[in-house]
Amino acid sequence: MKYELLIFDWDGTLADSAGQIVSAMQGAIDGLGLPPRSDESIRELIGLGLNDALARLYPELELSGLRALLDSYRAKWLSEGAGEARLFEGAFEAVADLHRQGCRIVIATGKSRRGLDRSLRHHQRLAELVANSRCADETASKPDPLMLRELLADEGVAVERALMIGDTEYDIAMAQSIGMHGLGVACGVHDPGRLQRAGAAAVIESVAGLPVWLQGRV
């Protein structure tokens, strides 16, 4: 099997951002005086679109309460002083290597478009390698595979020639649902066993190891 389109998740796959996401959400919860939630319960939902994650985190809240939490979280996450998560060690070098080999690099993320654009502006060298992207606020949220279908259509690539790389079962599940191979990375929020049970073709430690794993597959 040879892959020509590599589809990357962002948070927990390319960027080591889980800690910042949890901290921003806890700040929003505290600021609004909402019932507390554990760091783990928040971390568990990273990868979903924000609206979807909040509905799962607070199923008892009405829409008005979710909107207040959404606005508060975005204010903390997107504020000028929030900083930007670093890329995992070796991630840029691995993506650049695969780009040089002729692979198309795209992103499928639970981030908002505003959030991803902010991250790409910060990581400008990586942004220059990215041919396309889909965010949860402009299509269906993971694990719905619509964002993958749209990327395949945009790029004119058959599903068997594409590979989804992600750190959550949501990434693997959406790939599996349309017959796309999914590769797990163990550096993010879901453990390797969970990724394997979701149907991952394999689980590697991080994106840094992707060029080696792909030898003979691209």
Side-chain angles (χ1 to χ4, degrees):
M1 181 63 63
K2 295 185 181 294
Y3 304 113
E4 61 183 273
L5 184 68
L6 302 180
I7 307 173
F8 292 89
D9 170 57
W10 185 268
D11 293 311
T13 299
L14 290 172
D16 188 7
S17 48
Q20 286 184 332
I21 292 171
V22 171
S23 178
M25 183 62 75
Q26 289 288 24
I29 290 169
D30 184 62
L32 292 170
L34 292 172
R37 294 292 188 264
S38 68
D39 286 356
E40 186 55 37
S41 66
I42 296 170
R43 185 181 172 90
E44 156 72 19
L45 299 174
I46 294 173
L48 296 174
L50 185 53
N51 288 348
D52 217 17
L54 292 177
R56 295 191 189 197
L57 195 62
Y58 284 99
E60 73 277 19
L61 284 187
E62 296 181 358
L63 183 59
S64 59
L66 288 176
R67 282 178 174 163
L69 181 52
L70 179 70
D71 291 343
S72 182
Y73 170 80
R74 282 178 171 159
K76 290 182 178 298
W77 181 249
L78 295 170
S79 66
E80 290 185 7
E84 184 62 44
R86 67 178 181 85
L87 298 178
F88 284 106
E89 184 175 355
F92 169 76
E93 291 78 7
V95 173
D97 181 17
L98 293 165
H99 184 268
R100 283 192 297 269
Q101 293 182 46
C103 293
R104 296 278 289 176
I105 308 298
V106 301
I107 292 170
T109 178
K111 296 176 81 66
S112 67
R113 171 54 59 187
R114 184 182 175 192
L116 180 62
D117 286 349
R118 178 182 186 269
S119 295
L120 290 174
R121 283 194 300 272
H122 182 83
H123 298 290
Q124 182 61 41
R125 290 196 304 160
L126 180 61
E128 292 171 357
L129 307 177
V130 176
N132 204 342
S133 60
R134 280 297 186 282
C135 299
D137 61 348
E138 58 193 13
T139 186
S141 175
K142 301 174 185 178
D144 190 297
L146 182 58
M147 63 173 66
L148 294 184
R149 293 187 188 278
E150 291 173 345
L151 288 167
L152 290 173
D154 282 358
E155 300 301 316
V157 175
V159 67
E160 63 270 15
R161 300 277 287 167
L163 176 70
M164 176 72 215
I165 303 105
D167 69 305
T168 71
E169 67 175 29
Y170 316 126
D171 298 308
I172 305 303
M174 71 172 181
Q176 283 282 104
S177 68
I178 60 170
M180 181 185 294
H181 287 172
L183 177 69
V185 291
C187 56
V189 299
H190 289 172
D191 64 71
R194 187 167 175 178
L195 296 172
Q196 289 168 342
R197 288 191 296 274
V203 179
I204 61 175
E205 184 58 34
S206 71
V207 169
L210 184 57
V212 172
W213 187 85
L214 281 171
Q215 284 179 2
R217 295 182 173 93
V218 295

